[in-house]
């Protein structure tokens, strides 16, 4: 019991548990850990000395972030001409990156809100990190529509502010809906995340050794003291926020898809877009959650909390949403053929055999439509390397998919005289890489200074949290230091 | 009420070893008729609201009001400019009430936004948070309330409060480390 649990152990535990009682479930936290073990292990990550790898990783990612910020500054100073986009490809990597990041930002709130309403208790060990990931991904996403307008200092025109020109935004434009949808999504996700953090910040406050930590955690813990009169309203607030966030998650990528679907560009003008985009966002978002949590779980030895069972369930969600996405791909092709519209048919023919053919074959077909099918096999879902490989494929595939939808539909205009290609410049490339730096820097700061797993929620799923639980003889919960509870 | 050393008494508090013990103790304190008391635990305990005799949280009422406010704001924000101040004809479509479907996304987003902010701030206000300090923090054992321990606190300002009865009740219900907590 040194903190590691292997796949065969979990399978064996599952089999053992089902002998007497076929409906028995594998516990969500393995090895009969106690409340204080949960606190020690999770808060210990924040309280221990900063590990050397953290400094290395943070230096690299903040350097990459700095390069990205430099590129943004250069683009703002010189103009959007430093990017490779031009007629006919007026939207290229900027909007691809926007849709890519905002899609990643869907998994967090899906896990925290929808799985909460569906009473999926396994979400407790991954929701905090996934929500943080959501916020950081939305920050990365918001950069692109912000700067792609060119004259960034005019971006306030997007907001309905009375001004001396007497001009108002067009409230019937999906681009304006997008402003409302993304900013609402970000604000509500911050509130939801912070609400969940309050009890855990109080734990860190009560354990803080230095004055400065006690002060800072104390301020953000708002004086939380675990009172049941407070828990009563707190739990209701959490439930209501989950209820409000659930339609919100589904709305954000629907609104993003309206940016395309309400246009008349072949390849964009389809009614399938909202559900197609939402499924793709959840698909890509879960892949990113796995990409971040598989290493984090290994580094911080959180195998008892983020068990093989959790990874198994996330792999199944990837399999499901991947098939929804594949169905949408197939249906797009069918409708293009069935519509009898020359331009529509050509756009999709061009996807497979046109100049961007390999984006489709590698990105959409191999990465998104084929690799998730490995997850039909239990052995594959329990093989951490396979899961990591598939999640990396999906991360890449979802970026390619957005590129194909955006650039693939634009580069062949209605008239062959207006055809063109898109070639990224170094500014395009480094701005995109830079957002990964921003994302990773923020995520590293998060795992260093905030509890990456919701301690108070994990404690609820332990059997001792039940008010009718009585310790069976000889089964004392294992304490952090190996001591019996006194 | 003051201690012999002159400190004002905030409450008499006890620690319990488990959620189950706290749950049973809470039922006894409720039945004894106390009003100003509370339990503290590292996580919400299922069924504790009933054990304490508390009803369902009424937080949903302000949240509903917040949502309605957001919805009405969105109606004013979209129809105000688009119909009255600055009518823009898009796709040759009308600018009056018939354009409402185009405003549904904004109405939805603002409803959710206002409801969520109301939810968060109403929760804090109803809980009397944020607050800088609380007398219960004067008890050094209490720092485990956010870790792995369970506490029951009977406040001195409870009309039924007598030191003897409170201590006896906590003792009978299995409370440990029974302590007089000072106000300051």
């Amino acid at each position: 019991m040194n903190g590691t649990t292997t796949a065969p152990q979990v399978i064996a535990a599952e089999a053992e548990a089902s002998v007497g009682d076929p409906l028995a479930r594998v516990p969500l936290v393995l090895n009969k850990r106690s409340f204080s073990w949960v606190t020690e292990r999770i808060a210990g990550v924040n309280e221990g000395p900063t590990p050397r790898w953290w400094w290395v990783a943070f230096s690299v990612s903040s350097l990459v972030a700095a390069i990205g910020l430099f590129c943004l500054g250069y683009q703002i100073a010189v103009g959007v001409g430093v990017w490779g986009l031009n007629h006919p490809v007026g939207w290229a990597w900027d909007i691809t990156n926007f849709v890519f990041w905002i899609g990643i930002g869907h998994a967090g709130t899906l896990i925290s809100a929808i799985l909460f309403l569906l009473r999926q208790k396994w979400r407790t060990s991954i929701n905090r990190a996934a929500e943080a990931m959501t916020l950081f991904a939305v920050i990365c996403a918001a950069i692109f529509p912000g700067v792609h307008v060119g004259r960034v200092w005019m971006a306030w025109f997007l907001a309905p502010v009375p001004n001396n020109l007497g001009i108002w935004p067009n409230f019937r434009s999906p681009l304006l809906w997008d402003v409302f949808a993304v900013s609402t999504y970000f604000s509500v996700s911050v509130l939801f995340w912070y609400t969940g953090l309050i009890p855990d910040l109080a734990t860190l406050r009560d354990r803080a050794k230095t004055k400065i930590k006690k002060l800072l955690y104390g301020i953000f813990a708002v004086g939380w003291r675990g009172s049941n009169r407070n828990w009563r309203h707190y739990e209701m607030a959490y439930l209501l926020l989950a209820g409000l966030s659930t339609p919100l998650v589904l709305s954000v990528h629907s609104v993003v898809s309206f940016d395309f679907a309400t246009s008349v560009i072949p390849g964009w003008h389809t009614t399938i877009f909202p559900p197609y985009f939402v499924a793709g966002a959840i698909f890509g978002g879960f892949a990113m959650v796995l990409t971040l949590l598989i290493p984090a779980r290994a580094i911080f030895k959180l195998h008892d909390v983020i068990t093989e069972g959790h990874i198994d369930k996330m792999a199944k969600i990837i399999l499901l949403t991947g098939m929804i996405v594949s169905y949408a791909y197939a249906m797009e092709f069918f409708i293009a053929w069935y519509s009898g519209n020359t331009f529509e048919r050509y756009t999709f023919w061009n996807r497979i055999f046109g100049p961007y053919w390999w984006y489709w074959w590698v990105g959409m077909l191999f990465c998104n439509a084929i690799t998730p099918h490995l997850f039909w096999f239990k052995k594959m879902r329990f093989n951490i390397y396979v899961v990591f490989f598939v999640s990396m494929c999906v991360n890449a595939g979802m970026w390619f998919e957005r590129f194909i939808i955006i650039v693939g539909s634009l580069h062949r205009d209605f008239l062959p005289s207006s055809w063109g290609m898109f070639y990224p410049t170094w500014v395009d490339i480094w701005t995109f890489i830079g957002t990964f730096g921003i994302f990773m820097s923020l995520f590293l700061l998060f795992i260093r200074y905030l509890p990456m797993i919701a301690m108070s929620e994990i404690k609820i799923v332990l059997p001792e949290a039940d008010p009718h639980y009585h310790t069976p003889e000889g089964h004392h919960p294992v304490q952090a230091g190996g001591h019996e509870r006194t | 009420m003051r201690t012999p050393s002159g400190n004002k008494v905030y409450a008499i508090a006890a620690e319990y070893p488990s959620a189950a013990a706290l749950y049973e103790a809470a039922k006894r304190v409720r039945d004894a008729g106390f009003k100003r008391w509370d339990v503290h635990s590292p996580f919400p305990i299922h069924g504790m609201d009933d054990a304490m005799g508390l009803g369902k949280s009424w937080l949903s009422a302000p949240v509903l009001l917040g949502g309605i406010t957001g919805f009405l704001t969105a109606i004013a924000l979209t129809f105000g400019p688009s119909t009255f101040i600055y009518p823009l004809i898009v796709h040759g479509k009308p600018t009056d009430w018939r354009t409402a479907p185009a405003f549904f996304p904004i109405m939805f987003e603002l409803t959710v936004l206002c409801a969520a902010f109301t939810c968060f701030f109403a929760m804090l206000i109803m809980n009397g948070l944020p607050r800088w300090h609380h007398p219960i923090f004067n008890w050094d054992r209490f720092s485990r309330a956010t870790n792995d321990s369970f506490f029951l606190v009977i406040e001195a300002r409870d009309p039924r409060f007598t030191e003897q009865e409170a201590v006896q009740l906590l003792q009978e219900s299995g409370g440990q480390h029974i302590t007089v907590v000072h106000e300051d």
Side-chain angles (χ1 to χ4, degrees), chain A residues 195 198-199 222-238, chain B residues 38 54 57-59 119-131 134:
Chain A
T195 304
I198 290 173
V222 298
W224 186 260
R225 51 191 192 280
S227 140
N228 191 62
R229 288 178 194 272
N230 289 0
W231 280 123
R232 183 167 75 112
H233 297 310
Y234 175 92
E235 281 198 287
M236 180 58 85
Y238 203 83
Chain B
D38 208 341
L54 303 172
S57 169
W58 46 278
L59 181 67
C119 183
F120 178 72
F121 287 106
M123 183 270 284
L124 286 187
I125 292 167
M126 286 160 71
N127 283 341
L129 299 173
R131 59 182 294 166
H134 191 277

Side-chain angles (χ1 to χ4, degrees), chain A residues 70-327:
Chain A
F70 168 77
C71 288
L72 287 170
Y74 179 64
Q75 185 258 320
I76 290 167
V78 178
V80 272
V82 299
W83 287 347
L85 43 75
N86 207 331
H87 189 76
V89 184
W91 278 359
W93 277 34
D94 51 350
I95 302 301
T96 304
N97 297 342
F98 163 67
V99 181
F100 171 75
W101 279 118
I102 201 98
I104 287 172
H106 273 60
T109 311
L110 177 107
I111 291 170
S112 51
I114 297 183
L115 296 187
F116 179 77
L117 293 186
L118 296 176
R119 295 280 182 266
Q120 295 296 308
K121 286 186 177 169
W122 59 275
R123 74 184 256 296
T124 51
S125 47
I126 52 170
N127 70 335
R128 172 72 46 73
E131 281 174 53
M133 181 206 76
T134 287
L135 299 179
F136 307 147
V138 175
I139 289 171
C140 290
I143 291 172
F144 289 99
V147 297
H148 98 298
V149 296
R151 287 183 280 175
V152 181
W153 49 95
M154 306 295 265
W156 64 274
F157 260 43
L158 290 165
V161 182
N163 56 70
N164 60 343
L165 302 172
I167 294 175
W168 288 85
N170 174 16
F171 288 100
R172 278 169 283 180
S173 163
L175 299 177
L176 192 71
W177 303 346
D178 225 10
V179 174
F180 279 85
V182 173
S183 49
T184 301
Y185 185 57
F186 184 74
S187 313
V188 175
S189 299
V190 169
L191 285 182
F192 201 11
W193 183 63
Y194 182 63
T195 304
L197 263 173
I198 290 173
D200 285 2
L201 288 169
T203 305
L204 290 178
R205 171 201 66 200
D206 290 344
R207 293 165 55 88
K209 296 278 187 291
T210 63
K211 257 219 150 81
I212 183 87
K213 275 191 181 173
K214 203 157 191 86
L215 180 73
L216 286 174
Y217 286 127
I219 289 172
F220 288 104
V222 298
W224 186 260
R225 51 191 192 280
S227 140
N228 191 62
R229 288 178 194 272
N230 289 0
W231 280 123
R232 183 167 75 112
H233 297 310
Y234 175 92
E235 281 198 287
M236 180 58 85
Y238 203 83
L239 177 68
L240 289 171
L241 283 174
L244 290 167
S245 304
T246 294
L248 190 64
V249 184
L250 303 178
S251 84
V252 181
H253 231 48
S254 301
V255 170
V256 169
S257 79
F258 292 158
D259 293 344
F260 303 99
T262 56
S263 75
V264 289
I265 307 290
W268 289 5
H269 188 62
T270 62
T271 50
I272 203 176
F273 260 30
Y276 167 19
F277 268 50
V278 170
I282 294 164
F283 180 53
F286 268 90
M288 189 56 96
V289 172
L290 283 170
T291 309
L292 294 173
L293 285 187
I294 289 173
R297 148 184 200 270
I299 292 167
F300 297 117
K301 302 212 172 14
L302 296 169
H303 300 72
D304 285 351
V305 184
I306 305 172
T307 64
E308 300 278 342
H310 289 93
I311 291 170
D312 174 51
K313 290 187 179 74
M314 285 192 271
K316 283 177 183 163
I317 289 180
I318 287 184
L319 177 63
L320 171 71
T321 49
M323 286 194 295
I324 297 174
V325 168
S326 304
Y327 171 78

